[in-house]
Amino acid sequence: MSDAVEIPGLRLDVTANSRLHWAARAKRVKRQRAIVGLMLRSVDRPALPCVVTITRRSPGTLDDDNAVCSAKAARDAVAQWLGVDDRDPRVTWRVEQERGAWGVRVAVRGVAAPAGAADEAGRATPVARPHGAAAGDGGAVAKGARR
């Protein structure tokens, strides 16, 4: 399942290099979060795990760390919409850039959970282990190595 929301005109321009007064910065971030959150109401929430791609459209491009920083408010809004913290390992975040008129695209795609991932209650799913390996063996230890 994949859904995308287009938000024309939204400027993701608050970066680590922005020289704004703290109150002006907070106002922009609050506005960005509110707009993205409002637009996501029209999309069905996917089951976790999922992949979220935030595409920043602008006349110019940023370096990769500033692109990620500029998408932080949108990321926070998506995480709130999903009902998770933005550091939840069940959500993979991607930030992309395109040249064009200012705007943002948020695409959310559900994916199948890999073996060993936590389910919604936080329980790990079983992982196939090689013959003879125990779950608590801590991995292989070189001969003569101390633990």
Side-chain angles (χ1 to χ4, degrees), residues 35-116:
I35 290 170
V36 172
L38 184 66
M39 296 299 289
L40 285 170
R41 290 182 182 179
S42 66
V43 178
D44 291 330
R45 203 173 321 200
L48 297 176
C50 67
V51 176
V52 177
T53 304
I54 300 169
T55 304
R56 174 188 184 270
R57 246 187 344 269
S58 69
T61 58
L62 298 172
D63 57 0
D64 59 345
D65 54 338
N66 277 314
V68 170
C69 183
S70 74
K72 178 65 171 138
R75 176 177 169 147
D76 290 341
V78 174
Q80 184 177 15
W81 172 72
L82 288 171
V84 299
D85 188 76
D86 68 345
R87 66 176 173 226
D88 191 306
R90 296 173 294 170
V91 182
T92 301
W93 300 95
R94 295 194 176 126
V95 176
E96 298 177 353
Q97 298 186 79
E98 293 177 355
R99 290 191 131 193
W102 284 100
V104 177
R105 180 184 322 109
V106 178
V108 183
R109 181 176 49 91
V111 295

